[in-house]
Amino acid sequence: MVFIRLEDYESVEIAPGARVRTPYGAKLMPSHLELDEGCLVPEHSHPHEQARMLLDGILEPTIGEETRICESGEMFIIPGGVTHSARPLGGPAVVLDASVRCGRTMRSCSTSTFRRPGNGQPELRVEPVDTDVRGDGIGARLR
């Protein structure tokens, strides 16, 4: 069994005001996502399915064409390949995300493309670096 201390993992800003820490094991990839008030995790998709639990705050996720308001303790599942986005409401939010790693490296299932419609900026691609940052056989950084 492996015990994880989030402070041992690098926090990476994936969008302005959105930071993630993503340790991973042989097959499971949990992520701890902190969202500042007023931030937006832009519309994006990736091939793997995700399960999310809102640990703190109020969150407005959009999954495909459906938007809901979720409160602390609620969970939702994002099917693989479905476009989704999220923003906290009325303050910051903290989300626990879990997905299954695909294959030997994370690259095949974890690359996310954030679309930036209408602002003239190119798409932002977030790809995990398959690096053991702690030297213990688990761990991840994004670039």
Side-chain angles (χ1 to χ4, degrees), residues 10 13 15 27-29 33 41 43 47 52 55 81 84 86-87 104 108-109 111 113 131:
E10 181 180 2
E13 188 169 69
K27 295 184 181 180
L28 185 62
M29 189 170 66
L33 182 61
V41 177
E43 186 177 80
R52 289 193 170 168
L55 299 177
H84 54 281
R87 66 185 183 117
R104 190 166 176 203
S108 62
C109 65
T111 299
T113 300
T131 302

Side-chain angles (χ1 to χ4, degrees), residues 46-87:
H46 29 75
H48 61 281
E49 181 177 55
Q50 293 177 281
R52 289 193 170 168
M53 180 176 188
L54 183 58
L55 299 177
D56 191 30
I58 299 172
L59 188 70
E60 182 183 65
T62 299
I63 304 169
E65 300 296 320
E66 187 174 357
T67 300
R68 295 254 178 117
I69 294 177
C70 296
E71 296 184 9
S72 183
E74 292 188 60
M75 301 175 72
F76 50 96
I77 294 176
I78 303 167
V82 174
T83 300
H84 54 281
S85 63
R87 66 185 183 117

Side-chain angles (χ1 to χ4, degrees), residues 11-20 33-43 86-88 92-93 114-116 119 121-122 124 126:
S11 178
V12 177
E13 188 169 69
I14 59 169
R19 294 165 308 284
V20 67
L33 182 61
E34 297 173 304
L35 305 172
D36 294 339
E37 181 175 9
C39 87
L40 171 67
V41 177
E43 186 177 80
R87 66 185 183 117
F114 293 92
R115 295 174 184 84
R116 298 178 177 171
N119 66 6
Q121 295 181 4
L124 170 67
V126 177

